[in-house]
Amino acid sequence: MKRHVIAIAAALAGLSATASFAATLGPLVTATELDAALQDGAEAPVVLDIRGDAYADGHIDGAIAAPYGLFRGPADNPGQTVPVDQLEATYEKLGLEPDDAVVIVAQGATDTEFGAAARVYWTLKSSGFTELSILNGGAQAWVNAGLPVSKEAVTPEPTELSISWDNTWTAETPEVADVIAGKRQALLLDARPEAFFEGSKAHEAAEKPGTLPGAQNYPYTRFFQSGATAIGQISDVQELKASLGVSDGEEIVSFCNTGHWAATNWFALNEIAGLGNVKLYPGSMVEYSHTDGEMANAPGLFRNLINQLKGSN
């Protein structure tokens, strides 16, 4: 029986109404918080394990396998958003409903893996899900906390949905081009390591190296302590805004190569810091580099060739 049906039956029976633990989960949860929420019976959250093949080696008991690739675009544009009808079919197969509390679990072996969880979070939020969390530190944090894993695969009961895409947190190439042309005001925030920003390195699917004109470099790693795979809390939002040079309500467009590292910056700024008006450019530099749009920090032909010979591209 579905969780909301059980909850309604309990209310009709005259049981006292109490807020579920799952409903109190924020954007980030620790392993111990998730463990407690999973003991909440009918109100326990759905756990989406996005690790792919690692799921079979051991996962949180009851977790549903939802490989990251289900939320990504084709090889020539990995950051491209998945068509709504395809997302809808994926959610139905995973047995999801928009009123589910969902916790997303990546591996957590490196800080870059947080971007996968953040990208899935952004995708679910943009398609109508409202109770979303990320297990900070991923499956590694769960194991490190001494919590048990299971090898029993879960086959969810399919659902029937009708979803739509909310563009509130999305910036596409035409909007980015408008910012560059001065027709739209926004801070373009490059989440990549400095070498990509400076044009000495590029993603293999990019047409050329470089960054967006007028962009500011703010590597996603700034939100992690050295060596940590769990994202840090933001203690001073005003200091963060000052470091970005933004005022209240100013639009921020987070980008990287394929909307992966940029999802970490989007999550940190929008969901943890609560700045609001933060958008993710899903296709990012791979998509933009295939347009005839102006580029900054793009090396000349000779320098680009040298970079390729060095393996920088």
Side-chain angles (χ1 to χ4, degrees):
M1 186 177 291
K2 294 296 290 181
R3 289 185 297 277
H4 60 277
V5 173
I6 296 173
I8 292 171
L12 291 175
L15 299 177
S16 61
T18 58
S20 72
F21 196 106
T24 66
L25 295 177
L28 281 175
V29 295
T30 65
T32 53
E33 288 170 340
L34 176 56
D35 183 47
L38 291 173
Q39 311 307 317
D40 204 13
E43 295 297 334
V46 175
V47 177
L48 286 187
D49 188 318
I50 66 170
R51 297 176 299 150
D53 292 342
Y55 177 86
D57 297 328
H59 52 266
I60 296 170
D61 189 29
I64 298 168
Y68 184 39
L70 295 174
F71 303 87
R72 300 290 276 167
D76 62 347
N77 189 4
Q80 180 179 307
T81 52
V82 178
V84 170
D85 59 343
Q86 188 176 328
L87 276 179
E88 186 174 289
T90 294
Y91 297 161
E92 291 175 339
K93 187 175 181 180
L94 295 174
L96 300 179
E97 295 192 21
D99 61 352
D100 285 334
V102 179
V103 179
I104 303 154
V105 180
Q107 180 60 43
T110 65
D111 58 26
T112 192
E113 291 173 351
F114 189 91
R119 177 63 187 248
V120 173
Y121 181 112
W122 172 83
T123 303
L124 289 166
K125 184 180 179 77
S126 296
S127 45
F129 288 76
T130 57
E131 289 188 44
L132 297 168
S133 305
I134 292 174
L135 175 57
N136 204 10
Q140 194 65 51
W142 181 269
V143 172
N144 290 347
L147 295 167
V149 297
S150 170
K151 291 190 177 182
E152 183 177 350
V154 174
T155 303
E157 181 181 346
T159 52
E160 292 185 10
L161 303 177
S162 178
I163 67 168
S164 59
W165 188 265
D166 183 348
N167 281 314
T168 300
W169 305 284
T170 305
E172 296 289 4
T173 297
E175 297 168 81
V176 170
D178 282 346
V179 174
I180 293 170
K183 299 176 182 178
R184 182 187 184 102
Q185 294 299 312
L187 169 63
L188 300 173
L189 202 63
D190 191 335
R192 300 175 299 170
E194 188 176 17
F196 288 95
F197 176 76
E198 292 181 341
S200 60
K201 194 172 184 179
H203 189 278
E204 60 184 10
E207 178 69 21
K208 49 187 176 290
T211 190
L212 300 176
Q216 176 179 332
N217 191 207
Y218 203 91
Y220 78 96
T221 50
R222 292 192 186 183
F223 293 108
F224 296 84
Q225 292 187 356
S226 179
T229 63
I231 197 168
Q233 294 289 347
I234 297 172
S235 58
D236 192 332
V237 174
Q238 294 304 317
E239 181 181 351
L240 174 62
K241 288 194 293 185
S243 71
L244 294 170
V246 296
S247 54
D248 291 341
E250 184 175 347
E251 183 176 308
I252 299 173
V253 176
S254 179
F255 72 95
C256 57
N257 287 320
T258 67
H260 176 99
W261 290 329
T264 292
N265 278 14
W266 173 84
F267 181 87
L269 298 174
N270 201 77
E271 303 300 286
I272 301 179
L275 297 190
N277 208 17
V278 184
K279 299 178 183 291
L280 174 69
Y281 179 19
S284 286
M285 290 309 301
V286 165
E287 181 170 307
Y288 184 85
S289 70
H290 286 273
T291 72
D292 59 0
E294 181 185 354
M295 298 273 286
N297 297 347
L301 291 176
F302 179 74
R303 172 50 57 187
N304 194 24
L305 177 60
I306 294 298
N307 289 342
Q308 291 182 42
L309 291 174
K310 288 181 177 180
S312 299
N313 278 356

